[in-house]
Amino acid sequence: MDYKTRTRVAAILVDDKIAAGTEVTILGLVRTRRVGKEVAFLEINDGSCMANIQGVIDPPDKFEILEEIQTGAAVRMKGELVASPGGGQKYELKVTDLEMVGSAGTDYPLQKKRHSFEFLREIAHLRPRTNTFGAVNRIRSKLAYGIHQFYQERGFYYIHTPLISASDCEGAGEMFRVTTFDLPQVPTVDGKVDWDKDFFAAEAYLAVSGQLEGELLATALGDIYTFGPTFRAENSNTSRHASEFWMIEPEMAWAELDDNMDLAEEFLKYLLTYVFDKCGDEMDFFSKWVDKELRQTLESVIESEFVRLPYTEAIAELEKSKDSFEFPVKWGIDMQSEHERWLTEKRFKKPVIVYDYPEEIKAFYMRVNDDGKTVRAMDVLVPRVGEIIGGSQREERLDILQERMTKLGMADDFDKYQWYFDIRKYGSCPHSGFGLGFERAIMYITGMTNIRDVISFPRVPRWAKF
Ligand code: 4AD
Ligand code: MG
């Protein structure tokens, strides 16, 4: 058998690269089989695009094996590409050779009907074969490429930050510990765990962010970005939190908060434009089946200017609102999802960048404003998803950074952050950056409402299957 001569369905039905009359071999999975009196049809999907290619078998008893071929079977189908008389596709295949490579049986879980997303999560090993998850995965792949393209075109260097880390970048204590200790026999000294005996001779964790190391690289290379997995042991079982998610973190030397906002806005618009350009069929699919207004709203975002609103004004807007909130609003609160969504969905109806947050609710590394009360933080909020980007201008003044860390109770950790202080001690310069949650971006772009449905194998509290 020669599998190398296969033609991908995308080459035929998306890229229109194959002329009618060409003999092609298709390798894929059967979506449907219909046997009529005069002809039979096999619809095959090979994962390369949304569309199935239809094989026409005339007469229907031309191949004995057809009897045994069921939904889900893997087949090799050879034939001549002909213009399709039906309205659906441009081409179909007049089948001259058919082989069942792998049977599927009658208990194949993905029969031709709509399954709930909850059901599909239980069979996450098979769901990539459905239309929805095929589309999600293709969009993830194309977008990842587009993200690299965006930064590379702008002279940013792609850097790699450690996944095992000794510092808690966000200071929220939501980290997974990394140890080789045999848990029932953890060595102790003076009644405390003796970390010196552990693998790294120190406490270690899975990284919650690559930012701190990213800052070092940015001050050396200029503009950098990371794109990798991050881990958070946040015990919040919501539709927008995962314990393992991918993040893109650009960091720019010689940049202030305005530059950071400009980059975030340009970046999001680029991704929207890119996905419509590269994944048109997938976007049509999501606009038809998941959110009817998807295309229209995202296209209007490309054209719009994001709102830029100081936190203090955002709170004033919320206080003026006639809507009632579960969590009361007052200056100083860490905005809840309901507040963020009200601002972006109801008040402004487009992306909103909230900035200059109270220092009490933001991480230690953010630059302190002259008012002494707020820091140069920014969150980008979008309809449906809420916070999609979090970032800031970093505190580049060593004395102020240490003062703030002391205030936050981090004085005992100064040893651990000596390397981070050094870039302030030697040739410090203003710098800024942010993190875009890749899964939140996919949710925003596809209209999917649960983070468990935009990553193949979600990791959330009490769930690490597959
Ligand atoms: O706001 P966060 O925590 O910011 C940082 O990690 C900074 N160090 C980024 C930086 O300035 N370089 O996270 C950034 C983004 C959020 O806006 C959100 O999109 C996503 O990461 N995110 C999550 N996505 C899925 N599941 C979670 N548990 C997430 N936590 C954050
Ligand atoms: Mg945040």
Side-chain angles (χ1 to χ4, degrees):
M1 264 187 302
D2 178 11
Y3 297 130
K4 291 193 194 72
T5 56
R6 73 180 300 184
T7 300
R8 291 194 193 270
V9 175
I12 302 170
L13 295 178
V14 181
D15 304 330
D16 206 1
K17 275 194 203 148
I18 317 287
T22 311
E23 180 173 82
V24 296
T25 297
I26 304 291
L27 306 174
L29 301 178
V30 174
R31 282 294 176 80
T32 49
R33 182 192 68 159
R34 284 174 292 137
V35 182
K37 282 212 182 67
E38 272 139 47
V39 280
F41 299 102
L42 268 188
E43 285 210 41
I44 310 291
N45 188 283
D46 73 354
S48 62
C49 60
M50 289 300 322
N52 304 327
I53 188 131
Q54 171 162 281
V56 183
I57 297 162
D58 181 9
D61 58 359
K62 189 168 175 180
F63 308 103
E64 246 172 54
I65 193 73
L66 186 63
E67 290 284 299
E68 289 170 42
I69 295 180
Q70 286 164 334
T71 301
V75 298
R76 181 178 65 88
M77 181 168 90
K78 190 171 170 182
E80 185 196 338
L81 204 60
V82 296
S84 178
Q89 301 295 346
K90 192 164 176 195
Y91 297 112
E92 59 189 24
L93 204 70
K94 247 165 78 181
V95 183
T96 54
D97 192 13
L98 181 65
E99 180 191 356
M100 180 165 75
V101 180
S103 62
T106 49
D107 61 346
Y108 182 57
L110 298 174
Q111 294 301 328
K112 187 144 181 102
K113 63 165 194 180
R114 274 189 97 176
H115 298 285
S116 72
F117 290 146
E118 287 77 13
F119 168 73
L120 290 172
R121 269 172 230 150
E122 304 285 329
I123 52 163
H125 56 302
L126 292 174
R127 67 179 183 171
R129 301 177 180 202
T130 63
N131 281 333
T132 308
F133 292 91
V136 165
N137 282 303
R138 280 188 298 275
I139 285 186
R140 273 188 82 103
S141 171
K142 294 277 184 199
L143 262 187
Y145 193 75
I147 286 165
H148 283 293
Q149 202 165 296
F150 176 84
Y151 287 109
Q152 296 284 337
E153 278 170 359
R154 285 160 183 74
F156 285 64
Y157 289 105
Y158 175 38
I159 58 134
H160 304 102
T161 52
L163 296 188
I164 298 176
S165 166
S167 47
D168 180 3
C169 172
E170 294 309 303
E174 291 161 339
M175 298 188 294
F176 289 102
R177 189 183 284 290
V178 177
T179 175
T180 52
F181 277 158
D182 181 16
L183 292 185
Q185 302 173 46
V186 174
T188 57
V189 57
D190 301 334
K192 283 192 182 148
V193 176
D194 187 2
W195 293 111
D196 193 56
K197 292 214 167 60
D198 202 0
F199 192 91
F200 297 107
E203 291 183 77
Y205 306 91
L206 293 179
V208 297
S209 158
Q211 178 199 318
L212 302 188
E213 293 86 355
E215 286 184 49
L216 310 190
L217 274 288
T219 53
L221 297 177
D223 298 333
I224 60 92
Y225 67 105
T226 71
F227 187 174
T230 40
F231 307 89
R232 301 215 180 162
E234 209 171 349
N235 205 353
S236 44
N237 226 323
T238 79
S239 58
R240 296 171 307 117
H241 288 86
S243 319
E244 175 179 304
F245 64 96
W246 287 65
M247 185 153 58
I248 301 98
E249 294 184 275
E251 188 75 28
M252 299 176 286
W254 308 105
E256 304 191 301
L257 197 66
D258 282 352
D259 307 300
N260 213 23
M261 293 189 206
D262 290 346
L263 183 74
E265 182 164 347
E266 192 188 348
F267 181 38
L268 283 180
K269 288 177 178 174
Y270 180 96
L271 293 185
L272 297 181
T273 311
Y274 188 89
V275 82
F276 281 120
D277 184 32
K278 306 290 180 194
C279 305
D281 290 347
E282 281 77 10
M283 292 308 289
D284 285 344
F285 173 84
F286 287 111
S287 306
K288 179 164 178 201
W289 296 104
V290 175
D291 178 355
K292 295 254 185 290
E293 283 159 29
L294 187 67
R295 181 174 274 274
Q296 194 201 331
T297 40
L298 295 183
E299 278 173 355
S300 77
V301 168
I302 297 173
E303 302 304 324
S304 74
E305 214 174 287
F306 292 9
V307 175
R308 298 183 184 193
L309 193 69
Y311 170 91
T312 302
E313 284 177 35
I315 293 295
E317 289 287 345
L318 285 159
E319 282 174 332
K320 271 193 292 189
S321 148
K322 298 210 166 42
D323 295 289
S324 63
F325 299 108
E326 190 188 334
F327 294 91
V329 177
K330 74 169 203 283
W331 199 95
I333 60 158
D334 199 359
M335 272 189 249
Q336 300 293 315
S337 166
E338 56 171 343
H339 307 130
E340 297 177 341
R341 294 186 58 170
W342 182 85
L343 286 169
T344 177
E345 287 171 13
K346 289 197 141 164
R347 173 66 185 84
F348 296 104
K349 298 192 167 58
K350 57 177 168 171
V352 179
I353 309 181
V354 179
Y355 64 97
D356 286 349
Y357 282 78
E359 64 162 347
E360 286 81 13
I361 56 170
K362 288 291 181 186
F364 70 89
Y365 51 73
M366 299 186 180
R367 193 175 200 280
V368 180
N369 279 314
D370 292 342
D371 64 11
K373 287 193 317 195
T374 60
V375 290
R376 298 246 86 186
M378 60 171 230
D379 278 0
V380 182
L381 315 176
V382 295
R384 284 191 279 108
V385 176
E387 179 194 334
I388 196 168
I389 282 178
S392 63
Q393 180 170 340
R394 320 306 186 187
E395 183 57 78
E396 86 283 10
R397 300 161 296 184
L398 183 60
D399 52 339
I400 297 182
L401 175 66
Q402 291 183 334
E403 219 174 277
R404 175 121 195 272
M405 287 173 77
T406 304
K407 224 160 78 185
L408 289 168
M410 297 171 76
D412 292 345
D413 295 337
F414 277 18
D415 273 0
K416 247 170 57 182
Y417 289 94
Q418 183 259 327
W419 53 274
Y420 190 69
F421 296 150
D422 267 3
I423 56 166
R424 274 81 183 163
K425 196 168 155 195
Y426 307 115
S428 191
C429 74
H431 58 286
S432 302
F434 62 78
L436 168 71
F438 192 42
E439 284 69 27
R440 299 237 178 127
I442 311 271
M443 288 171 72
Y444 182 50
I445 285 170
T446 58
M448 298 291 283
T449 54
N450 197 309
I451 197 161
R452 293 164 181 77
D453 299 330
V454 294
I455 182 165
S456 291
F457 305 107
R459 292 327 180 211
V460 293
R462 304 189 62 78
W463 188 262
K465 209 172 151 187
F466 306 106

